[in-house]
């Protein structure tokens, strides 16, 4: 009898979790509309932008869920990350420079969890260049190439681009996810720092699929 009861309880719990996962999301609760919609980077593709900061504990908490989700995205969804650059936040500038250099090398996605883990779990002060370059070498990354990108003239220009995007998308907290330049969601809105955020993103993607050109 006990085993039967446990099986029924497990089935009921599973069904309840499934129903919650697929519950309709509500505007003003789990997501909101952008006051100033932005164009997507790749025409004809859906887009998800994650605004984050390497030093944000909330970003670090949801990062594994986002990584798993991003690894399974279809080809018609363009996912990209943008490191925030708020004015007057000098503590963010050093981290943003790391992101810019890794991005120039095509390594920002591969190194996302490693950088966040070093900063937040291992307490490595990557804003100090001698410590940063030693850590970069330990990751098996070409230090000379990284230094060239880190200290390049284009690094300053890209820092300005990050600041501009932070303003344009009205980022007031991280992590923040923007879907198709129209909708905003975040763990703070959802109320959970787990895989629920990716379920909300998926529903927003399904809600707003880009128009595709008709075949001639």
């Amino acid at each position: 009898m006990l085993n039967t009861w446990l099986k029924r309880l497990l089935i009921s719990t599973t069904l309840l979790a499934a129903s919650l996962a697929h519950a309709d999301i509500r505007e003003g609760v789990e997501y909101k509309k952008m006051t100033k919609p932005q164009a997507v980077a790749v025409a004809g593709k859906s887009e998800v932008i994650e605004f984050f900061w390497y030093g944000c504990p909330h970003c670090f908490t949801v990062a594994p869920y986002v990584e798993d989700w991003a690894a399974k995205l279809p080809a018609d969804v363009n996912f990209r990350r943008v490191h925030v650059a708020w004015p007057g936040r000098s503590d963010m500038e050093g981290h943003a420079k790391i992101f810019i250099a890794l991005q120039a090398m095509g390594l920002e996605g591969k190194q996302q969890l490693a950088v966040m883990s070093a900063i937040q779990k291992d307490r490595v002060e990557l804003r100090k260049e001698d410590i940063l370059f030693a850590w970069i070498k330990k990751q098996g990354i070409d230090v000379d190439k990284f230094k060239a990108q880190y200290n390049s003239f284009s690094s300053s220009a890209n820092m300005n681009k990050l600041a501009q995007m932070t303003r344009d998308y009205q980022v007031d907290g991280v992590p923040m996810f923007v879907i198709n330049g129209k909708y905003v969601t975040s763990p703070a809105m959802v109320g959970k720092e787990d895989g629920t955020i990716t379920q909300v993103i998926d529903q927003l993607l399904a809600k707003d699929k880009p128009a595709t050109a008709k075949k001639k």
Side-chain angles (χ1 to χ4, degrees), residues 74-157:
D76 62 349
V77 178
N78 180 35
F79 173 61
R80 56 193 180 117
R81 291 186 171 98
V82 176
H83 196 291
V84 289
W86 283 310
R89 290 294 300 270
S90 58
D91 57 328
M92 287 184 173
E93 290 181 8
H95 290 160
K97 282 189 69 176
I98 296 170
F99 171 78
I100 289 168
L102 290 173
Q103 187 178 55
M105 299 176 72
L107 298 174
E108 82 281 7
K110 185 178 180 180
Q111 294 296 324
Q112 180 78 358
L113 289 179
V115 176
M116 298 181 90
S117 182
I119 292 170
Q120 299 192 52
K121 184 179 178 181
D122 302 329
R123 303 300 177 188
V124 181
E125 184 46 88
L126 295 183
R127 285 169 293 199
K128 294 183 178 179
E129 293 187 3
D130 56 337
I131 296 175
L132 169 63
F133 298 149
W135 182 85
I136 286 293
K137 186 176 182 179
K138 287 182 180 179
Q139 306 313 302
I141 299 171
D142 189 311
V143 179
D144 291 333
K145 289 182 179 179
F146 180 86
K147 285 182 179 180
Q149 295 296 338
Y150 186 82
N151 296 313
S152 67
F153 174 78
S154 62
S155 180
S156 296

Side-chain angles (χ1 to χ4, degrees), residues 40 42-48 69-70 72-79 179-180 202 205-206 208-212:
V40 298
V42 182
K45 278 194 174 187
S46 295
E47 178 181 81
V48 179
W69 167 83
K72 302 168 187 174
L73 282 177
D76 62 349
V77 178
N78 180 35
F79 173 61
I179 294 83
N180 290 339
D202 283 340
L205 286 171
D208 190 69
K209 286 190 174 294
T212 54

Side-chain angles (χ1 to χ4, degrees), residues 167-179:
R167 289 192 297 270
D168 289 345
Y169 285 82
Q170 301 178 319
V171 183
D172 56 6
V174 287
M176 187 181 101
F177 298 85
V178 179
I179 294 83

